[in-house]
Amino acid sequence: MRCLVTGGNVKVLGKAVHSLSRIGDELYLELLHDGLSLRTVNSSRSAYACFLFAPLFFQQYQVAPPNQDPVRCKILMKSFLSVFRSLVTLERTVEKCCISLNGRSSRLVVQLHCKYGVRKIHNLSFQDCESLQAVFDPASCPHVLRAPARVLGEAVLPFPPALAEVTLGVGRGHRVILRSYQEEEADSDIRAMVTEMSIGKEDFQQLQAQEGVAITFCLKEFRGLLSFAESANLSLSMHFDTPGRPAIFTVEDTLLDGHFVLATLSEPDPQSQDLGSLQPCRPQPPLQAHSTPHLDDFTNDDIDSYMIAMETTVGSEGSRAPPLLSPGPQPSCSPGPNSEEDEAEPSTVPGTPPPKKFRSLFFGSILAPAHSPQGPSPVLAEDSEGEG
Amino acid sequence: MKFRAKIVDAACLNHFTRISNMMAKLAKTCTLRINPDKLNFILSDKVANGGVNMWCELEQENFFSEFQMEGVSAENNEIYVELTSENLSRALKTAQNARALKMKLTNKHFPCLTVSVELLSVSNSSRIVTHDIPIKVIPRKLWKDFQEPTVPDADVSIYLPVLKTMKSVVEKMKNISNHLIIEANLNGELNLKIETELVCVTTHFKDLGCPPLASESVSQDRNPEQMAEVCIDIKKLLQFLAGQQVNPTKALCNIVDKRIVHFDLLHEDVSLQYFIPALS
């Protein structure tokens, strides 16, 4: 086998490796007839990613003859990433990149042909492996959003880098909403800031979802694919179903495609519910405006909607108790600034959300190729005999 | 209790963002005091934590195109809330190229200061970012802890040198000592000193100038050569200096011998007072 990548495509390949490295520790490399596939899965199997580079992406693409098994191997992500570590150097100095398999020494050889005749050769050890194939089908997802990566990149920019999960949903007026996801901690006094980004539907190339749908997924992996898509100036499609079902993020080009499958939170949490429907259990008179805060912000200027019923009179510490969560029978809807509210707030919090749980993605048995809807890799039964 | 304000002018927005960044550097949590004319960012540290006090004041009409508030009652037309200053600065960071910014008190899932930003986008579509900053409303009985600190009668008042220079000096000194002695006289001399068993380092600033004395105080007949000195925690001083990203229009240092050092800064129309007590 031998694949030769030249020019700007080296950087594209490197960028893809970077985004894969955000997910898994091992990289599955397969030389298929319809292209080179790079795949990975995270340790908890809640995120899977694959890129397929078509033969045309390469200057030269030689694979095993059709009657043989395709070459498959598994390498450490870290070692493969180190080859493509600095994208700037890659862009500036590397002219060609050649990936081949040395059968005698059982090494995957990555050669970087740089300027001035410098040649960097990385010999990476690998393991034989089976094909890694997640079972997913974008076509089966009822909801699809598609937008230029740049739009989505700007949309996630306000969120802090440390934020783990984000809720994506469609709100009123078909505005797409991204909101930082917070685990409910009933008794915690310290709360994090909640950030919400609301984007008009005109920024989307495709928006096929009803108002009120929402899913919560990991931001880190999503950012990985986004940065790839942004650098390649591609559009990103998001296919999703109900909460708990995996969401599929795809980028496509004539020369490559990428699929990221991310688990979504299975419990519809109060926050994501909020995008669509009002919570019935609110003691506070549920102001219309509160259910979709994004809408009122610039359209509704009625200050009374924002009347805040917090107690600041002498001797009370009303702000401590979370009045919205308590089933207290006293909705303080007439917030006379001096009204003394008694502090007999029941301490039980109803419907304390069950612990957060991502459902692991289901990986198809390699014995059931019929399940593999994602055409490029016919799932083969036997272990590959690593014959370079 | 109601509060709602709006900024539309880009320069005002930038200025306000700079102030919030400065707050984030100066204090982890701060108290925001809102009254019909002014906004104050207040830090009043417990003595056990070093006893640093900060009082930042800005006129609301210099920033906001709309400003509505209703305090606890007509006589006490004020609002005091505590917030994490980092949150405010992060929220304002997204408002870099905003068309408009609104702030208001809300009670969505918890009491918060909601900052919503209408962004400009290339496609001319509307994009809105909303940040709900959790706040703690401060009950009226605790308001007395957040009153404007009285400026003590200083033994020496002196203009500060360029803060960046001062910062780089103090930064180096921090590696050697935990305490710093700041001393100055009415001759326009200011010294920053550290003393350890092994080494003594002093940086001398000269010809800084002293403001004309406002009152007929004791320092009138003070020997201009005589130094007034305060030994302070070097980290507190550095924190103050690091918070100053732009050089202020006016920077004054007041020293009460062996008791407290008071920095009085003016950033355009925003005043910042910072008090570091002497180490006991």
Side-chain angles (χ1 to χ4, degrees):
Chain A
M1 67 157 272
R2 190 178 138 85
C3 332
L4 187 68
V5 189
T6 55
N9 282 357
V10 182
K11 196 189 165 201
V12 175
L13 181 68
K15 199 82 191 162
V17 176
H18 274 259
S19 65
L20 288 168
S21 72
R22 294 210 188 200
I23 294 188
D25 299 327
E26 284 167 332
L27 181 70
Y28 293 75
L29 197 133
E30 272 185 81
L31 275 105
L32 306 164
H33 290 287
D34 49 1
L36 169 73
S37 121
L38 301 177
R39 299 172 194 199
T40 189
V41 65
N42 71 351
S43 56
S44 58
R45 306 218 139 201
S46 62
Y48 162 88
C50 78
F51 279 101
L52 182 75
F53 298 95
L56 273 177
F57 178 83
F58 303 91
Q59 176 119 67
Q60 201 182 354
Y61 188 75
Q62 295 172 350
V63 280
N67 53 355
Q68 269 182 32
D69 284 338
V71 175
R72 287 199 194 97
C73 65
K74 182 167 85 173
I75 47 182
L76 275 181
M77 184 68 81
K78 247 197 273 176
S79 51
F80 201 66
L81 181 65
S82 67
V83 179
F84 301 97
R85 176 74 72 190
S86 163
L87 292 171
V88 183
T89 341
L90 224 54
E91 197 176 18
R92 284 211 195 122
T93 63
V94 179
E95 285 161 349
K96 274 193 281 185
C97 166
C98 175
I99 302 170
S100 59
L101 211 57
N102 185 333
R104 267 176 300 133
S105 61
S106 297
R107 289 286 187 270
L108 182 77
V109 184
V110 183
Q111 290 185 37
L112 298 179
H113 299 248
C114 307
K115 269 186 194 160
Y116 314 115
V118 176
R119 194 175 292 186
K120 296 180 189 164
I121 301 168
H122 299 260
N123 288 296
L124 310 175
S125 59
F126 66 88
Q127 285 180 335
D128 286 344
C129 65
E130 296 174 356
S131 176
L132 178 75
Q133 178 63 61
V135 178
F136 63 94
D137 180 13
S140 74
C141 294
H143 312 306
V144 186
L145 302 180
R146 191 156 62 90
R150 191 182 41 79
V151 169
L152 298 168
E154 284 170 9
V156 298
L157 210 59
F159 296 96
L163 181 72
E165 290 115 22
V166 75
T167 301
L168 168 81
V170 179
R172 212 169 294 169
H174 271 95
R175 292 184 70 84
V176 175
I177 292 162
L178 280 160
R179 172 158 28 187
S180 45
Y181 175 80
Q182 233 94 47
E183 277 178 87
E184 286 292 332
E185 284 168 58
D187 53 338
S188 118
D189 221 22
I190 309 141
R191 290 174 172 277
M193 178 164 79
V194 175
T195 298
E196 183 180 289
M197 174 61 127
S198 150
I199 311 163
K201 61 172 181 238
E202 56 278 11
D203 273 342
F204 283 78
Q205 296 155 322
Q206 188 183 1
L207 206 162
Q208 176 192 320
Q210 311 94 6
E211 295 175 8
V213 297
I215 49 161
T216 301
F217 54 88
C218 280
L219 188 54
K220 187 183 115 189
E221 286 84 356
F222 180 61
R223 279 200 165 118
L225 181 62
L226 257 185
S227 76
F228 173 82
E230 268 187 275
S231 73
N233 210 4
L234 295 174
S235 288
L236 193 132
S237 305
M238 300 175 267
H239 307 259
F240 60 98
D241 200 345
T242 51
R245 304 271 308 142
I248 305 155
F249 302 86
T250 61
V251 288
E252 257 173 66
D253 190 0
T254 45
L255 297 180
L256 61 94
D257 64 47
H259 288 80
F260 276 45
V261 186
L262 306 182
T264 62
L265 275 186
S266 49
E267 283 85 21
D269 64 286
Q271 289 188 23
S272 64
Q273 264 184 2
D274 223 14
L275 289 171
S277 59
L278 295 167
Q279 283 170 276
C281 59
R282 269 195 188 174
Q284 197 87 354
L287 298 167
Q288 273 310 85
H290 279 182
S291 66
T292 46
H294 55 281
L295 265 185
D296 57 57
D297 286 329
F298 282 89
T299 51
N300 177 2
D301 267 0
D302 180 11
I303 191 168
D304 286 332
S305 324
Y306 305 110
M307 190 177 286
I308 190 165
M310 285 180 297
E311 202 46 58
T312 55
T313 44
V314 179
S316 115
E317 292 219 348
S319 61
R320 279 285 172 89
L324 284 183
L325 288 174
S326 68
Q330 309 252 311
S332 42
C333 41
S334 57
N338 277 325
S339 67
E340 288 287 338
E341 195 184 349
D342 56 342
E343 281 297 290
E345 296 262 19
S347 58
T348 49
V349 176
T352 304
K356 165 177 82 169
K357 189 165 166 276
F358 275 115
R359 198 186 289 171
S360 174
L361 298 174
F362 179 66
F363 279 84
S365 155
I366 49 160
L367 293 173
H371 273 290
S372 159
Q374 191 237 350
S377 65
V379 180
L380 299 173
E382 310 95 63
D383 290 357
S384 60
E385 304 286 358
E387 264 179 66
Chain B
M1 219 166 57
K2 297 174 198 171
F3 168 60
R4 196 172 68 100
K6 192 174 176 183
I7 304 181
V8 285
D9 183 69
C12 291
L13 188 56
N14 275 339
H15 195 185
F16 194 67
T17 307
R18 270 207 305 277
I19 291 159
S20 80
N21 288 343
M22 179 170 81
M23 286 309 126
K25 290 225 162 60
L26 291 179
K28 198 163 160 274
T29 59
C30 69
T31 301
L32 176 63
R33 172 186 183 234
I34 305 163
N35 78 20
D37 308 312
K38 287 173 192 150
L39 282 188
N40 292 106
F41 292 96
I42 307 164
L43 170 72
S44 115
D45 233 355
K46 302 249 165 29
V47 178
N49 294 335
V52 168
N53 270 289
M54 177 190 79
W55 183 266
C56 177
E57 180 163 301
L58 44 109
E59 303 279 329
Q60 61 89 354
E61 58 183 20
N62 291 342
F63 290 86
F64 299 98
S65 59
E66 278 174 44
F67 193 91
Q68 283 173 277
M69 64 116 10
E70 200 172 284
V72 175
S73 64
E75 316 85 77
N76 296 291
N77 198 10
E78 291 184 326
I79 299 172
Y80 286 75
V81 295
E82 185 187 283
L83 50 88
T84 306
S85 37
E86 172 74 37
N87 279 345
L88 183 63
S89 123
R90 233 178 48 209
L92 289 170
K93 221 163 260 170
T94 55
Q96 285 299 302
N97 53 351
R99 198 184 305 222
L101 176 137
K102 274 189 190 176
M103 294 206 304
K104 62 198 165 220
L105 285 182
T106 57
N107 201 357
K108 283 182 183 172
H109 304 277
F110 42 86
C112 40
L113 178 70
T114 297
V115 176
S116 48
V117 182
E118 195 184 6
L119 295 174
L120 291 169
S121 65
V122 189
S123 53
N124 217 7
S125 65
S126 85
R127 257 181 237 173
I128 297 165
V129 192
T130 311
H131 302 275
D132 293 330
I133 303 169
I135 53 171
K136 220 152 71 183
V137 177
I138 293 173
R140 203 162 52 187
K141 67 169 177 185
L142 298 179
W143 285 10
K144 59 175 170 20
D145 297 345
F146 301 100
Q147 296 312 306
E148 180 162 7
T150 45
V151 179
D153 273 336
D155 292 312
V156 169
S157 278
I158 188 166
Y159 289 113
L160 285 171
V162 177
L163 294 181
K164 232 181 210 161
T165 318
M166 207 169 146
K167 180 183 154 215
S168 59
V169 169
V170 176
E171 244 167 11
K172 307 266 164 15
M173 288 180 162
K174 198 191 104 203
N175 300 331
I176 305 172
S177 171
N178 293 325
H179 323 299
L180 175 138
I181 296 164
I182 179 164
E183 58 175 22
N185 63 17
L186 293 171
N187 240 358
E189 291 171 337
L190 177 102
N191 299 337
L192 301 174
K193 276 204 302 208
I194 50 165
E195 289 170 355
T196 68
E197 285 172 10
L198 293 172
V199 65
C200 294
V201 182
T202 308
T203 305
H204 302 269
F205 295 94
K206 284 191 188 112
D207 304 325
L208 293 173
C210 297
L213 290 166
S215 61
E216 309 282 313
S217 62
V218 277
S219 44
Q220 197 85 38
D221 42 80
R222 191 184 169 87
N223 175 6
E225 298 289 325
Q226 193 195 345
M227 290 286 181
E229 61 160 52
V230 182
C231 178
I232 53 173
D233 185 343
I234 199 163
K235 278 201 251 48
K236 305 283 176 202
L237 178 63
L238 191 59
Q239 189 168 30
F240 163 72
L241 293 170
Q244 311 306 315
Q245 297 298 301
V246 264
N247 214 38
T249 19
K250 185 192 94 176
L252 194 64
C253 168
N254 298 313
I255 297 177
V256 184
D257 195 36
K258 306 221 165 39
R259 277 189 40 220
I260 199 164
V261 56
H262 165 226
F263 296 100
D264 189 358
L265 265 53
L266 197 68
H267 286 279
E268 294 169 50
D269 43 12
V270 178
S271 88
L272 173 74
Q273 299 189 56
Y274 203 79
F275 299 81
I276 308 177
L279 288 171
S280 45

